Amino acid sequence: MQSILYSLKRRRHRAGRYADLLLVEGYGNFVKCHLALGRVLLTAETMRHMESQLPAGQFVRTHKSYLVNLARVERLHGNVLLVGAREVPVGGTYRQEVLRQLHLR
């Protein structure tokens, strides 16, 4: 079981499985970790740090403010990914890599 440690604002930690992490959203000086079943964890990390900590073959940066779990992508429509119930933008800078990771190019 692969896991990641989420640091919460009350200095508590929670270990979770990568598979349960749907996406990471930049939120100022923090990131929101959107988990399965609608849970959201706020962490005091940067997007760059989160990107370096997550497995590259399992997660991809789609936008300056988003990282997504490739296994949780339901569809791509134009420049928007559907991940769970969330619509996540795909920025022009990241589009080619997203398509490559999704095996669409």
Side-chain angles (χ1 to χ4, degrees):
M1 172 171 75
Q2 293 179 323
S3 63
I4 185 171
L5 194 64
Y6 304 104
S7 30
L8 304 177
K9 68 180 186 179
R10 292 188 186 135
R11 299 185 189 267
R12 291 181 293 161
H13 294 85
R14 179 183 191 283
R17 296 180 322 133
Y18 290 134
D20 293 335
L21 180 58
L22 301 177
L23 62 102
V24 177
E25 176 183 9
Y27 189 70
N29 293 327
F30 298 87
V31 294
K32 290 181 181 179
C33 295
H34 295 266
L35 305 173
L37 303 177
R39 287 195 65 187
V40 176
L41 298 175
L42 186 64
T43 72
E45 301 290 348
T46 65
M47 287 294 289
R48 182 172 290 161
H49 177 76
M50 288 297 289
E51 186 175 21
S52 72
Q53 297 301 304
L54 295 169
Q58 190 173 349
F59 290 86
V60 66
R61 186 90 176 246
T62 65
H63 185 273
K64 68 180 183 175
S65 299
Y66 291 94
L67 283 158
V68 301
N69 184 338
L70 291 165
R72 297 299 193 130
V73 173
E74 295 175 22
R75 75 171 185 251
L76 172 66
H77 182 71
N79 288 329
V80 176
L81 288 173
L82 183 62
V83 182
R86 299 274 318 231
E87 289 187 345
V88 178
V90 177
T93 304
Y94 305 95
R95 185 166 176 76
Q96 291 302 317
E97 181 61 17
V98 170
L99 293 174
R100 190 182 74 72
Q101 292 285 344
L102 291 172
H103 305 291
L104 297 175
R105 265 215 168 154

